[in-house]
Amino acid sequence: MKDITKKYSNGEVTVVWKPATCIHSTICWKGINGLSSVFNPAERPWIKPEGASTQAIINQVKLCPSGALTYFLNDEVEAAIEAEPSKDIARVEVKPNGPLLFHGNCIVIDNQGNESIKENVTAFCRCGHSTNKPYCDGSHRKEGFVG
C-alpha cells in the first residue's frame, strides 16, 4: 500500500489519517465511545472535523491504537516547524493480543532495502499473520492471536 496521508481540518484542528498504518480497530467511530459525527467510513469524505468540538476530536484521535489518526492544532504549526528536534526517548508498547506499538519517529527498512520514515506511532505485527508485514493489519483478531 502506498504511503498516503490525508488531512481534514475544521480551522482549529487538522486530523491526519495514514491509511497504510490503520488497523481498522473501528474505535474512532463505533461503539459507545465512537465519534460517528466526525468519523464515518460510509460517507465521503469519511472524516468531517466540523462534526464535533476540537477537544472531542483530539480526545478521540488519542484513542487510535495504531497511530493512523493523529492531529495538530493549526495555530501551533508554525511553532512546531521552528522547534528543535525532540530528544525524547522512543517507547515500545506491547498491546495485549495485538500489535507492538512503536511511539516515536523511526526509519523502517524492508527486505529489499527500501526505507520508509514513520512518525508518531507505528503498529508492528506480532502475530505473524499480517499481509502488510512488518506492519499490523489487524489479522491477529481473526487468527485468535494470544500474546
Side-chain angles (χ1 to χ4, degrees):
M1 184 180 278
K2 288 184 178 180
D3 245 355
I4 298 170
T5 300
K6 299 199 174 207
K7 296 178 182 177
Y8 307 86
S9 181
N10 68 3
E12 289 183 331
V13 65
T14 296
V15 177
V16 180
W17 179 50
K18 294 184 177 185
T21 306
C22 188
I23 62 171
H24 308 291
S25 70
T26 70
I27 289 172
C28 56
W29 62 278
K30 227 177 191 180
I32 310 174
N33 298 320
L35 195 57
S36 60
S37 61
V38 174
F39 305 98
N40 186 342
E43 296 181 4
R44 295 294 174 259
W46 83 279
I47 299 176
K48 295 180 181 164
E50 62 277 0
S53 71
T54 294
Q55 192 58 54
I57 292 168
I58 290 170
N59 293 342
Q60 195 66 30
V61 166
K62 286 181 177 180
L63 296 175
C64 180
S66 67
L69 291 172
T70 56
Y71 74 92
F72 60 85
L73 295 171
N74 296 351
D75 62 355
E76 293 179 359
V77 171
E78 287 300 317
I81 290 171
E82 294 173 8
E84 289 186 34
S86 174
K87 301 210 187 298
D88 292 339
I89 296 173
R91 189 175 91 225
V92 177
E93 177 183 3
V94 177
K95 296 301 284 182
N97 307 324
L100 185 70
L101 297 182
F102 182 91
H103 298 267
N105 300 333
C106 66
I107 297 173
V108 177
I109 303 170
D110 68 17
N111 59 359
Q112 297 172 338
N114 300 312
E115 293 186 5
S116 298
I117 296 174
K118 300 296 179 182
E119 298 173 342
N120 300 321
V121 181
T122 304
F124 290 103
C125 176
R126 272 197 322 133
C127 74
H129 295 284
S130 175
T131 59
N132 190 28
K133 289 179 187 132
Y135 309 107
C136 176
D137 68 358
S139 293
H140 57 274
R141 287 191 301 268
K142 67 182 174 195
E143 295 296 332
F145 175 72
V146 178

